[in-house]
Amino acid sequence: MSATPDTSNSTTDTPVAKQLSTLDRFLPVWIIAAMAAGLGAGRLIPGLGSALDAIAIDGVSLPIALGLLIMMYPVLAKVRYDRLGTVTGDRRLLISSLILNWILGPALMFALAWLMLPDLPEYRTGLIIVGLARCIAMVIIWNDLACGDREAAAVLVAINSVFQVIAFAGLGWFYLSILPGRLGLPQADLDVSAWQIARSVLIFLGIPLVAGYLTRRFGEKAKGRAWYEERFIPRIGPFALYGLLFTIVILFALQGDAITSQPLDVARIALPLLAYFAIMWFGSLALAKAVGLGYERSATLAFTAAGNNFELAIAVAIATFGVTSGQALAGVVGPLIEVPVLVGLVYVSLALRRRWWPTIRQENRS
């Protein structure tokens, strides 16, 4: 983001918080304020949610799309695309990511939803949909704040996007219809087209990815790498945070009334989500360390495995079950829990990097 610290230059005795810029250091405050502003506006301003929801093209919310594009572009413009080859050759990282995202993640959310919401089928189905939608957007922000590997994040997000288009509908059919039937549990149906999924990927990842790549390529060609890294990137960096906060305000304004009018339901939905994020993140980080990955790629693996594509999950839930359905509410509660939890895990990640990866401390002393 604006001034995310470089692990190679940080000192061992400096507290993590002091290594961040003022803008990044108070990120939880800005996010809580944005969530509160969105919820308050959605609750207090009559018709705001409906008006915002109406600003859409073919089911895609233009305000949310705008916020996500502004949020993701600066981070993707920072990626060194000439280094991507070193990531694609790391089989430990790629195989671990595929297993975590497309086998363990959906299975874990399915298990938690049935264990904690056995009496609430609509919310349970909504959470299973959230678990199937692997992250392709906000994870780039969390990874950047945690000093993860930007190039690795770009590759893993791209892989998730491809698998999302190919596997989302099939996994939805398996976890909502086939597996419950085999276990003697009630079944549900998921009506989603491959184009609906591909459209989400193309808009929320394809546009900022192409823009970031072209900006770096032509920016370096015209002005040189030093100007690009030292002058241009610091200027556009803060816009990632501005886009994130704008997206949060819009998202919670759209569903502010639904969230604030059903606090007990929100709390029930939140419990399996909290368990999911904690298990996926800490489990992924431990797996990365066990297979010998360094801190940067371990952090990237953890955040890409723990995050979810809430934009797609909400869109699918609304299209299939309706905007006022319990499935849609569960999708909306997803980012309500995910955003503050993963922001907190950014700080946990930074605090753990020298305890679990002592070579970082040794390199800083040399």
Side-chain angles (χ1 to χ4, degrees):
M1 210 168 271
S2 56
T4 306
D6 185 342
T7 57
S8 63
N9 295 324
S10 58
T11 60
T12 57
D13 297 325
T14 303
V16 170
K18 291 184 178 180
Q19 298 172 25
L20 299 172
S21 69
T22 301
L23 193 64
D24 293 340
R25 192 181 308 164
F26 293 99
L27 180 63
V29 176
W30 312 141
I31 286 180
I32 292 172
M35 293 169 65
L39 289 172
R43 180 75 177 181
L44 299 176
I45 302 177
L48 177 62
S50 300
L52 290 172
D53 195 42
I55 308 175
I57 296 179
D58 195 21
V60 176
S61 170
L62 293 185
I64 291 179
L66 176 63
L68 288 171
L69 294 179
I70 295 173
M71 176 188 75
M72 293 179 66
Y73 166 70
V75 180
L76 289 171
K78 295 178 184 179
V79 171
R80 287 283 302 275
Y81 292 93
D82 55 338
R83 294 179 179 173
L84 295 184
T86 64
V87 179
T88 56
D90 191 339
R91 293 186 178 181
R92 296 171 302 173
L93 176 67
L94 298 182
I95 293 174
S96 297
S97 177
L98 289 174
I99 292 173
L100 288 166
N101 275 287
W102 297 103
I103 297 178
L104 297 182
L108 176 62
M109 188 68 89
F110 175 86
L112 291 172
W114 274 100
L115 286 172
M116 297 187 180
L117 301 174
D119 56 328
L120 298 171
E122 290 189 356
Y123 298 155
R124 184 176 63 238
T125 298
L127 285 184
I128 292 172
I129 295 173
V130 170
L132 298 176
R134 312 313 299 168
C135 197
I136 64 169
M138 281 193 178
V139 68
I140 294 177
I141 296 292
W142 314 138
N143 177 74
D144 208 46
L145 282 171
C147 299
D149 188 320
R150 287 180 188 139
E151 288 70 38
V155 170
L156 296 185
V157 163
I159 291 174
N160 274 351
S161 300
V162 173
F163 269 79
Q164 202 144 235
V165 174
I166 296 172
F168 186 91
L171 287 173
W173 171 69
F174 175 76
Y175 279 106
L176 293 176
S177 298
I178 299 301
L179 186 57
R182 294 289 180 87
L183 299 175
L185 302 171
Q187 299 168 273
D189 294 317
L190 183 63
D191 182 17
V192 57
S193 68
W195 164 241
Q196 187 176 7
I197 302 166
R199 181 186 61 191
S200 172
V201 171
L202 289 172
I203 293 174
F204 298 126
L205 176 64
I207 293 175
L209 182 61
V210 171
Y213 171 77
L214 293 177
T215 301
R216 177 171 279 278
R217 180 176 180 181
F218 291 107
E220 287 188 355
K221 185 176 181 180
K223 296 284 190 175
R225 179 163 294 176
W227 173 87
Y228 188 87
E229 297 282 355
E230 298 170 11
R231 299 285 297 276
F232 181 72
I233 290 298
R235 289 180 182 175
I236 66 171
F239 284 92
L241 176 57
Y242 304 152
L244 171 65
L245 297 178
F246 175 80
T247 302
I248 292 172
V249 170
I250 296 298
L251 181 65
F252 287 100
L254 282 168
Q255 298 292 337
D257 185 67
I259 292 173
T260 55
S261 63
Q262 303 178 65
L264 293 180
D265 289 354
V266 170
R268 288 287 306 273
I269 297 169
L271 289 177
L273 284 168
L274 287 169
Y276 172 83
F277 293 132
I279 294 171
M280 285 299 294
W281 192 87
F282 282 103
S284 300
L285 197 69
L287 173 63
K289 180 173 172 58
V291 300
L293 294 179
Y295 168 76
E296 289 79 8
R297 291 189 177 179
S298 296
T300 298
L301 182 65
F303 282 102
T304 52
N308 292 91
N309 185 356
F310 65 82
E311 310 91 10
L312 177 60
I314 293 172
V316 169
I318 290 175
T320 304
F321 302 103
V323 68
T324 60
S325 66
Q327 291 89 341
L329 178 61
V332 171
V333 174
L336 175 69
I337 306 303
E338 177 177 337
V339 169
V341 168
L342 291 190
V343 169
L345 289 174
V346 166
Y347 289 87
V348 174
S349 183
L350 291 170
L352 287 176
R353 59 180 171 175
R354 291 184 185 84
R355 293 184 181 181
W356 286 20
W357 286 269
T359 55
I360 293 178
R361 182 178 300 175
Q362 294 169 5
E363 289 170 359
N364 289 334
R365 287 177 177 175
S366 60

